[in-house]
Amino acid sequence: MATIEDVAKLTGLSRTTISRVINNHPYVSEEKRKLVLEAMEKLGYVPNSSARSLRNQKTSILALFIPRITNPFFSELVEATEIAAAEHGYQLIICQTRYSPEKELNYMNLLKTKQVDGVILASIQNEWKQLKPFLQYGPIVLCNEFDDCANVPTVRLDQVYGGYIATKHLLEQGHTKIAYCSGGYRSNVAKSREIGFKKALAEYKLIFDERYAFRDAFHIADGKRVFRQMMALSNRPTAVFTGSDEVAAGIISEALACGYRIPKDLAVVGFDNQAITELTNPTITTVHQPVKQMAQKAVDIIVEKIQTKKYDTQEIYEFPLQLIVRASTVGSELHQSEA
């Protein structure tokens, strides 16, 4: 961690001048003030009255970064992470980025200023090279979202397999015109599901039609929009694989309102296995993600890293996915099946 002496050496100014800038003393030229502030930023120097003890300071607080608390998947992840953190004697604070790279970087300063002991990233809005510098201040664990360039522990799911089993199920029902609906373009989770989707199509000698691709869909309202866009096509799809139960529910709601039958006119597959999948009529076929197990593992790992102070080790922990077949893809309810 940088010290005031480091700032003085870099700028060529005295510690007294550095201190005056930090404390907003009026008798410092703008030129020197700018020089000091730029050096502080470059070195990552954190001005704090207790700076000497920051290296060993412990808050017993963890931060969980999520894009949107109203998404049922992230709501469940928050609850499971809070429970796991409490078991280790830690409190949890939630940082909602709303898919903003700027907000994510601002929240990372919680680690830099030692207001939290570690950060769990359930989504990533920046490239890893922009987040990596924060490792000097504490551990970072990826949970759900991942980046192959990240030299930190990652708790993830085989999303390629998830996209594959969902699409293969639709193919086995006889569908050949299958639409694909995903969320953010930065997400490696979404990219991996699309790889699995296309892999299943290729096994059936089918080429994906880009007109059937619908992206940036996150909410129920997005699902309604996607349904209208699909029905506006001259060659309409007969099935759709979505990356979200919320979006799937929106598609089904709009389809029924427009007089379409599910799954006879349009089969729908969601993702996450949230409570909404059993509340809709028809119920939603989906891919189950073991959220509680993921959260527990992420917390166990970050607590261990806090204790050992070994932050920059790439470790991959992968959990299985399960296809849950319900009425949105078949004529009647089936028991859950593990593909």
Side-chain angles (χ1 to χ4, degrees), residues 1-29:
M1 184 178 294
T3 65
I4 195 169
E5 287 83 2
D6 296 324
V7 179
K9 288 179 182 178
L10 183 60
T11 59
L13 301 173
S14 67
R15 286 188 53 178
T16 300
T17 300
I18 307 301
S19 179
R20 284 175 177 172
V21 172
I22 293 172
N23 292 292
N24 294 313
H25 198 283
Y27 302 113
V28 180
S29 69

Short mmCIF file of all heavy atoms in Angstrom, two decimals, residues 1-29:
data_model
loop_
_atom_site.label_atom_id
_atom_site.label_comp_id
_atom_site.label_asym_id
_atom_site.label_seq_id
_atom_site.Cartn_x
_atom_site.Cartn_y
_atom_site.Cartn_z
N MET A 1 0.85 -1.20 0.00
CA MET A 1 0.00 0.00 0.00
C MET A 1 0.87 1.24 0.00
O MET A 1 1.86 1.32 0.75
CB MET A 1 -0.91 -0.01 1.23
CG MET A 1 -1.89 1.15 1.27
SD MET A 1 -2.96 1.02 2.71
CE MET A 1 -3.88 -0.46 2.32
N ALA A 2 0.58 2.20 -0.85
CA ALA A 2 1.37 3.41 -0.97
C ALA A 2 1.29 4.26 0.30
O ALA A 2 0.29 4.25 1.02
CB ALA A 2 0.90 4.22 -2.17
N THR A 3 2.38 5.00 0.57
CA THR A 3 2.45 5.87 1.73
C THR A 3 2.63 7.32 1.29
O THR A 3 2.87 7.60 0.12
CB THR A 3 3.62 5.48 2.64
OG1 THR A 3 4.85 5.72 1.92
CG2 THR A 3 3.55 4.00 3.02
N ILE A 4 2.55 8.23 2.25
CA ILE A 4 2.74 9.64 1.93
C ILE A 4 4.17 9.89 1.45
O ILE A 4 4.43 10.79 0.64
CB ILE A 4 2.38 10.52 3.15
CG1 ILE A 4 2.23 11.99 2.71
CG2 ILE A 4 3.41 10.36 4.25
CD1 ILE A 4 1.64 12.86 3.81
N GLU A 5 5.12 9.07 1.96
CA GLU A 5 6.50 9.19 1.50
C GLU A 5 6.62 8.85 0.02
O GLU A 5 7.39 9.47 -0.72
CB GLU A 5 7.43 8.27 2.31
CG GLU A 5 7.70 8.74 3.74
CD GLU A 5 6.60 8.34 4.69
OE1 GLU A 5 5.64 7.67 4.24
OE2 GLU A 5 6.68 8.70 5.89
N ASP A 6 5.84 7.85 -0.44
CA ASP A 6 5.87 7.47 -1.85
C ASP A 6 5.37 8.62 -2.72
O ASP A 6 5.90 8.88 -3.81
CB ASP A 6 5.00 6.23 -2.08
CG ASP A 6 5.54 5.00 -1.36
OD1 ASP A 6 6.78 4.88 -1.28
OD2 ASP A 6 4.72 4.20 -0.88
N VAL A 7 4.33 9.29 -2.25
CA VAL A 7 3.79 10.43 -3.00
C VAL A 7 4.81 11.55 -3.06
O VAL A 7 5.01 12.20 -4.10
CB VAL A 7 2.47 10.93 -2.37
CG1 VAL A 7 1.93 12.14 -3.15
CG2 VAL A 7 1.44 9.82 -2.32
N ALA A 8 5.50 11.77 -1.95
CA ALA A 8 6.52 12.82 -1.90
C ALA A 8 7.66 12.53 -2.87
O ALA A 8 8.14 13.42 -3.58
CB ALA A 8 7.06 12.96 -0.47
N LYS A 9 8.10 11.27 -2.91
CA LYS A 9 9.19 10.89 -3.82
C LYS A 9 8.79 11.06 -5.27
O LYS A 9 9.57 11.55 -6.10
CB LYS A 9 9.59 9.44 -3.56
CG LYS A 9 10.33 9.22 -2.26
CD LYS A 9 10.67 7.74 -2.08
CE LYS A 9 11.37 7.50 -0.75
NZ LYS A 9 11.67 6.05 -0.54
N LEU A 10 7.56 10.66 -5.60
CA LEU A 10 7.10 10.73 -6.99
C LEU A 10 6.95 12.18 -7.46
O LEU A 10 7.25 12.50 -8.61
CB LEU A 10 5.77 9.98 -7.14
CG LEU A 10 5.19 9.91 -8.56
CD1 LEU A 10 6.18 9.20 -9.50
CD2 LEU A 10 3.86 9.18 -8.55
N THR A 11 6.51 13.05 -6.56
CA THR A 11 6.26 14.44 -6.95
C THR A 11 7.49 15.34 -6.76
O THR A 11 7.58 16.41 -7.37
CB THR A 11 5.11 15.03 -6.12
OG1 THR A 11 5.46 14.96 -4.72
CG2 THR A 11 3.82 14.27 -6.37
N GLY A 12 8.41 14.90 -5.88
CA GLY A 12 9.55 15.75 -5.57
C GLY A 12 9.21 16.85 -4.59
O GLY A 12 9.98 17.79 -4.39
N LEU A 13 8.05 16.74 -3.96
CA LEU A 13 7.61 17.73 -2.99
C LEU A 13 7.80 17.22 -1.57
O LEU A 13 7.98 16.02 -1.34
CB LEU A 13 6.13 18.07 -3.23
CG LEU A 13 5.80 18.64 -4.63
CD1 LEU A 13 4.29 18.75 -4.79
CD2 LEU A 13 6.47 19.98 -4.85
N SER A 14 7.68 18.09 -0.62
CA SER A 14 7.85 17.70 0.78
C SER A 14 6.59 17.04 1.33
O SER A 14 5.50 17.21 0.78
CB SER A 14 8.17 18.94 1.63
OG SER A 14 7.04 19.80 1.68
N ARG A 15 6.76 16.29 2.42
CA ARG A 15 5.60 15.67 3.09
C ARG A 15 4.63 16.74 3.56
O ARG A 15 3.42 16.53 3.57
CB ARG A 15 6.07 14.83 4.27
CG ARG A 15 6.73 13.52 3.89
CD ARG A 15 6.99 12.67 5.10
NE ARG A 15 5.78 12.47 5.89
CZ ARG A 15 5.72 11.72 6.99
NH1 ARG A 15 6.81 11.09 7.43
NH2 ARG A 15 4.59 11.59 7.65
N THR A 16 5.17 17.89 3.94
CA THR A 16 4.31 18.97 4.43
C THR A 16 3.38 19.45 3.32
O THR A 16 2.17 19.66 3.55
CB THR A 16 5.17 20.15 4.92
OG1 THR A 16 6.01 19.70 5.98
CG2 THR A 16 4.29 21.29 5.43
N THR A 17 3.94 19.59 2.11
CA THR A 17 3.12 20.03 0.98
C THR A 17 2.06 18.98 0.65
O THR A 17 0.90 19.32 0.38
CB THR A 17 4.00 20.28 -0.26
OG1 THR A 17 4.96 21.30 0.07
CG2 THR A 17 3.15 20.73 -1.44
N ILE A 18 2.47 17.71 0.69
CA ILE A 18 1.52 16.62 0.42
C ILE A 18 0.38 16.68 1.43
O ILE A 18 -0.80 16.57 1.08
CB ILE A 18 2.21 15.24 0.48
CG1 ILE A 18 3.44 15.20 -0.43
CG2 ILE A 18 1.21 14.14 0.12
CD1 ILE A 18 3.17 15.46 -1.88
N SER A 19 0.73 16.87 2.69
CA SER A 19 -0.26 16.92 3.76
C SER A 19 -1.22 18.09 3.57
O SER A 19 -2.42 17.98 3.82
CB SER A 19 0.44 17.01 5.11
OG SER A 19 -0.50 17.08 6.16
N ARG A 20 -0.67 19.22 3.11
CA ARG A 20 -1.52 20.39 2.89
C ARG A 20 -2.54 20.14 1.78
O ARG A 20 -3.69 20.57 1.87
CB ARG A 20 -0.64 21.60 2.55
CG ARG A 20 0.09 22.20 3.75
CD ARG A 20 1.02 23.30 3.34
NE ARG A 20 1.66 23.92 4.51
CZ ARG A 20 2.64 24.82 4.44
NH1 ARG A 20 3.09 25.19 3.24
NH2 ARG A 20 3.15 25.33 5.53
N VAL A 21 -2.10 19.45 0.73
CA VAL A 21 -3.03 19.12 -0.35
C VAL A 21 -4.14 18.20 0.16
O VAL A 21 -5.32 18.39 -0.13
CB VAL A 21 -2.28 18.46 -1.53
CG1 VAL A 21 -3.28 17.94 -2.56
CG2 VAL A 21 -1.33 19.45 -2.17
N ILE A 22 -3.73 17.17 0.92
CA ILE A 22 -4.70 16.21 1.46
C ILE A 22 -5.74 16.90 2.34
O ILE A 22 -6.94 16.57 2.30
CB ILE A 22 -3.97 15.11 2.26
CG1 ILE A 22 -3.13 14.25 1.31
CG2 ILE A 22 -4.96 14.25 3.04
CD1 ILE A 22 -2.24 13.26 2.02
N ASN A 23 -5.29 17.90 3.08
CA ASN A 23 -6.19 18.58 4.02
C ASN A 23 -6.79 19.87 3.45
O ASN A 23 -7.34 20.68 4.20
CB ASN A 23 -5.42 18.89 5.31
CG ASN A 23 -5.06 17.63 6.08
OD1 ASN A 23 -5.93 16.95 6.60
ND2 ASN A 23 -3.77 17.33 6.14
N ASN A 24 -6.66 20.03 2.12
CA ASN A 24 -7.24 21.19 1.44
C ASN A 24 -6.76 22.52 2.01
O ASN A 24 -7.54 23.48 2.18
CB ASN A 24 -8.77 21.13 1.49
CG ASN A 24 -9.32 19.97 0.68
OD1 ASN A 24 -8.90 19.76 -0.45
ND2 ASN A 24 -10.24 19.22 1.27
N HIS A 25 -5.47 22.61 2.32
CA HIS A 25 -4.89 23.85 2.83
C HIS A 25 -4.94 24.91 1.72
O HIS A 25 -4.61 24.63 0.56
CB HIS A 25 -3.44 23.61 3.27
CG HIS A 25 -2.91 24.67 4.17
ND1 HIS A 25 -2.50 25.91 3.70
CD2 HIS A 25 -2.74 24.70 5.52
CE1 HIS A 25 -2.09 26.64 4.72
NE2 HIS A 25 -2.22 25.93 5.83
N PRO A 26 -5.32 26.12 2.06
CA PRO A 26 -5.49 27.15 1.02
C PRO A 26 -4.18 27.62 0.38
O PRO A 26 -4.19 28.10 -0.75
CB PRO A 26 -6.18 28.29 1.76
CG PRO A 26 -5.79 28.10 3.19
CD PRO A 26 -5.72 26.62 3.40
N TYR A 27 -3.04 27.50 1.08
CA TYR A 27 -1.80 28.07 0.57
C TYR A 27 -0.97 27.03 -0.20
O TYR A 27 0.19 26.78 0.12
CB TYR A 27 -0.98 28.66 1.73
CG TYR A 27 -1.75 29.72 2.48
CD1 TYR A 27 -2.15 29.52 3.80
CD2 TYR A 27 -2.10 30.92 1.86
CE1 TYR A 27 -2.87 30.49 4.49
CE2 TYR A 27 -2.83 31.89 2.54
CZ TYR A 27 -3.20 31.67 3.84
OH TYR A 27 -3.92 32.62 4.50
N VAL A 28 -1.60 26.44 -1.21
CA VAL A 28 -0.92 25.50 -2.10
C VAL A 28 -1.30 25.87 -3.52
O VAL A 28 -2.49 26.06 -3.83
CB VAL A 28 -1.31 24.04 -1.82
CG1 VAL A 28 -0.58 23.10 -2.78
CG2 VAL A 28 -1.01 23.65 -0.38
N SER A 29 -0.33 26.00 -4.41
CA SER A 29 -0.62 26.38 -5.78
C SER A 29 -1.41 25.29 -6.48
O SER A 29 -1.30 24.10 -6.14
CB SER A 29 0.68 26.66 -6.55
OG SER A 29 1.40 25.45 -6.75
#
